[in-house]
């Protein structure tokens, strides 16, 4: 299997599974138990690897959220706990999701190893959230289902960070990118963007180019694996429980 085929083969399942745990009911309840709203838990948990920075720093790294919403979530969360502590709790929630969801996967350890190999080959310049999660993940858990869950999240942050770079290179503004992206205006509502929203057609072609550029930027991670390892990884992640 070529690196290009692996990029496309992993994009969907890694994107879905790398996000599923963040909005899982048990994960949300864990944040509530810490005194955090759903969005404070998400923003400070995911972005806390950046350190105790101003909300605008997390906004720059995430890219696609309304600045006012992100500031509100970030500042409310850091008033409850240091964001680094929230990130550690968030990582533990990811690990626990893996134990609940992926314990029946016989190849969990092998898939975790392959994801770690791919992540380890990445040059992290320009993708700080990925870099933070790659550094944090090994300290959280050493059992296979948890490692696999964290590996999926790390590689989701890899593609997500590179996609932001590709969108910026196309000159597409954040809200326009959201409404013109794969999930359309529904994503703008989910992300909390106030209406009116721009016409999705304005940037449809630019977003298609950004998606192709993202694939190109992601490719080196999968080029670090050999053809058999790439095929094994793609088949494995595509067979994971949804």
């Amino acid at each position: 299997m070529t690196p290009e085929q692996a990029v496309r083969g992993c994009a969907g399942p890694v994107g879905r599974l790398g996000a599923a745990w963040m909005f899982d009911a048990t994960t949300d309840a864990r944040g509530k138990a810490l005194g955090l709203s759903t969005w404070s838990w998400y923003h400070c948990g995911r972005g806390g690897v950046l350190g105790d920075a101003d909300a605008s720093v997390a906004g720059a790294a995430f890219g696609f959220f309304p600045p006012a919403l992100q500031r509100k979530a970030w500042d409310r969360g850091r008033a409850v706990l240091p964001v680094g502590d929230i990130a550690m709790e968030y990582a533990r929630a990811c690990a626990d999701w893996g134990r609940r969801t992926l314990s029946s996967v016989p190849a969990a350890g092998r898939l975790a190893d392959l994801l770690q190999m791919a992540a380890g080959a990445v040059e992290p310049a320009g993708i700080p959230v990925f870099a933070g999660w790659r550094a944090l993940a090994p300290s959280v858990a050493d059992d296979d289902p948890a490692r696999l869950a964290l590996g999926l999240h790390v590689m989701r942050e890899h593609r997500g960070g590179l996609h932001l770079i590709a969108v910026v290179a196309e000159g597409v503004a954040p809200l326009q990118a959201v409404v013109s992206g794969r999930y359309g205006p529904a994503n703008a509502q989910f992300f909390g963007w106030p209406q009116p929203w721009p016409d999705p057609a304005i940037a449809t072609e630019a977003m298609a180019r950004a998606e192709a550029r993202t694939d190109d930027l992601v490719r080196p991670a999968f080029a670090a694996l050999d053809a058999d390892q790439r095929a094994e990884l793609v088949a494995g992640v595509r067979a994971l429980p949804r």
Side-chain angles (χ1 to χ4, degrees):
M1 176 176 285
T2 68
E4 293 79 10
Q5 290 170 326
V7 167
R8 295 311 312 157
C10 283
V14 170
R16 287 190 298 274
L17 292 166
W21 70 273
M22 290 188 277
F23 298 101
D24 175 77
T26 302
T27 299
D28 188 58
R30 186 174 186 143
K32 294 290 199 308
L34 294 170
L36 300 166
S37 70
T38 296
W39 278 124
S40 290
W41 178 224
Y42 170 86
H43 285 281
C44 294
R46 185 179 157 216
V49 293
L50 301 170
D52 189 26
D54 184 77
S56 63
V57 177
F62 282 19
F64 298 115
F65 285 89
L69 181 150
Q70 188 147 27
R71 176 167 293 280
K72 180 179 179 181
W74 184 264
D75 288 347
R76 285 187 174 182
R78 72 199 289 229
V80 176
L81 288 169
V83 294
D85 291 351
I86 298 174
M88 179 59 76
E89 288 297 326
Y90 210 51
R92 289 171 179 152
C94 179
D96 285 345
W97 177 87
R99 295 180 186 113
R100 293 193 308 274
T101 308
L102 304 173
S103 291
S104 63
V105 177
R110 175 60 173 167
L111 292 174
D113 290 342
L114 291 171
L115 289 168
Q116 187 172 14
M117 289 170 61
V122 172
E123 166 53 58
I127 42 177
V129 180
F130 160 79
W133 275 94
R134 184 176 67 174
L136 177 61
S139 68
V140 176
D142 58 9
D143 58 294
D144 291 341
R147 289 175 55 238
L148 176 53
L150 287 159
L152 290 164
H153 178 69
V154 168
M155 290 306 290
R156 181 179 183 274
E157 292 292 359
H158 173 241
R159 185 178 182 91
L162 292 174
H163 184 60
L164 176 59
I165 290 173
V167 169
V168 170
E170 287 293 334
V172 181
L175 174 55
Q176 184 69 65
V178 171
V179 299
S180 299
R182 183 180 302 128
Y183 301 108
N187 228 23
Q189 182 175 15
F190 177 75
F191 277 36
W193 285 98
Q195 296 193 47
W197 301 324
D199 180 359
I202 292 172
T204 300
E205 292 183 1
M207 289 302 293
R209 292 193 298 270
E211 191 71 20
R213 190 190 296 255
T214 302
D215 286 349
D216 290 341
L217 293 171
V218 169
R219 181 189 178 281
F222 293 94
L225 306 178
D226 66 32
D228 290 341
Q229 290 169 333
R230 289 190 288 267
E232 183 181 6
L233 177 59
V234 170
V237 298
R238 293 181 74 85
L240 291 174
R242 296 294 190 266

